[in-house]
Amino acid sequence: MKSGGEGLRGIIRQMLSLFLAEKEKGNDLVGERSGVIFKELCLLLDPEVVYLEIGKALEDFEDSEVATLLTERLTMILLTVPEFADLRRKLLPSEQSATNAGALLARANEAPNANGTAAIGGSDAAAAMEDGRQLFLALYQAWRRYPVSALALCLLAGEYEKSSELVNVVAVDMRDKPGEWTL
């Protein structure tokens, strides 16, 4: 799995500290600018690496309100921004990935590269599917505390059993809360 290194990790931790400091001052930097900041960072760097590093940082982050808002922003970006289509594809269920990988293999076999060999092999397709699974697991580890974001991630990745479990947990949790909490 990809890693952004200490430089990116440090930048993300500094940004999280900035968001927290601004919140303590009464400013809503998280709500107003975090989505734009992270989107631009992802467009400059590899989105997968940025998401993985943010996920790792959010696992240890103490302010649940800021972490929840950031996770919501990251989910919206992942689900809606056209430039993140490759990242979404990587998270697709393995059957879809296998179909895509099969199409890639067929194309590669039809069009050999300069030295006459196929551009992609079966082991490359299997590795790509495993990378997608590892990406899902890493993001889920960070997002599992935020049910709506975790549910969206599970549905995108075709993790329907996990989706069902999340819905059941939320239902049990909400059952005993006052009406305004259940909306």
Side-chain angles (χ1 to χ4, degrees), residues 12 14 18-19 27 34 41 53-54 62 66 86 94 97 100 113 123 126 144 155 161 164 179-180:
I12 289 172
Q14 287 295 320
L18 174 66
F19 292 147
N27 298 328
S34 64
L41 185 61
E53 291 298 334
I54 293 170
E62 291 139 23
V66 170
D86 288 339
S94 58
S97 298
N100 291 343
N113 62 20
S123 62
R144 71 185 188 282
L155 290 171
E161 286 184 37
S164 177
E180 66 269 10

Side-chain angles (χ1 to χ4, degrees), residues 1-5 8 12 42 45-56 87 135:
M1 188 156 11
K2 298 179 181 182
S3 173
L8 179 59
I12 289 172
C42 287
L45 304 172
D46 181 355
E48 179 181 346
V49 171
V50 174
Y51 267 71
L52 289 171
E53 291 298 334
I54 293 170
K56 288 177 196 171
L87 191 56
L135 174 61

Side-chain angles (χ1 to χ4, degrees), residues 16 19-20 23 30 34 38 54-55 57-75 142-143 145-146 149:
L16 293 176
F19 292 147
L20 185 57
K23 177 191 168 220
V30 173
S34 64
F38 284 125
I54 293 170
L58 286 175
E59 282 184 55
D60 303 327
F61 201 62
E62 291 139 23
D63 188 295
S64 65
E65 184 181 344
V66 170
T68 299
L69 288 171
L70 289 174
T71 306
E72 288 172 359
R73 296 297 182 281
L74 292 168
T75 302
W143 291 1
R145 297 184 296 178
Y146 316 105
S149 295

Side-chain angles (χ1 to χ4, degrees), residues 6-155:
E6 291 301 317
L8 179 59
R9 195 168 296 125
I11 289 169
I12 289 172
R13 293 207 185 272
Q14 287 295 320
M15 285 193 310
L16 293 176
S17 296
L18 174 66
F19 292 147
L20 185 57
E22 289 298 313
K23 177 191 168 220
E24 290 170 358
K25 292 179 191 175
N27 298 328
D28 188 24
L29 184 62
V30 173
E32 294 175 1
R33 305 299 299 163
S34 64
V36 173
I37 292 168
F38 284 125
K39 177 184 169 192
E40 291 300 319
L41 185 61
C42 287
L43 294 176
L44 291 171
L45 304 172
D46 181 355
E48 179 181 346
V49 171
V50 174
Y51 267 71
L52 289 171
E53 291 298 334
I54 293 170
K56 288 177 196 171
L58 286 175
E59 282 184 55
D60 303 327
F61 201 62
E62 291 139 23
D63 188 295
S64 65
E65 184 181 344
V66 170
T68 299
L69 288 171
L70 289 174
T71 306
E72 288 172 359
R73 296 297 182 281
L74 292 168
T75 302
M76 291 302 296
I77 292 168
L78 177 63
L79 295 176
T80 63
V81 175
E83 293 87 356
F84 288 70
D86 288 339
L87 191 56
R88 286 191 296 274
R89 265 190 230 87
K90 191 167 193 172
L91 287 165
L92 287 175
S94 58
E95 298 84 25
Q96 181 67 34
S97 298
T99 302
N100 291 343
L104 284 173
L105 286 170
R107 257 193 320 222
N109 290 331
E110 291 172 8
N113 62 20
N115 42 354
T117 61
I120 185 171
S123 62
D124 291 339
M129 286 188 288
E130 181 60 27
D131 284 349
R133 177 76 178 146
Q134 293 301 319
L135 174 61
F136 165 76
L137 292 172
L139 292 177
Y140 183 78
Q141 184 71 21
W143 291 1
R144 71 185 188 282
R145 297 184 296 178
Y146 316 105
V148 174
S149 295
L151 179 61
L153 179 65
C154 288
L155 290 171

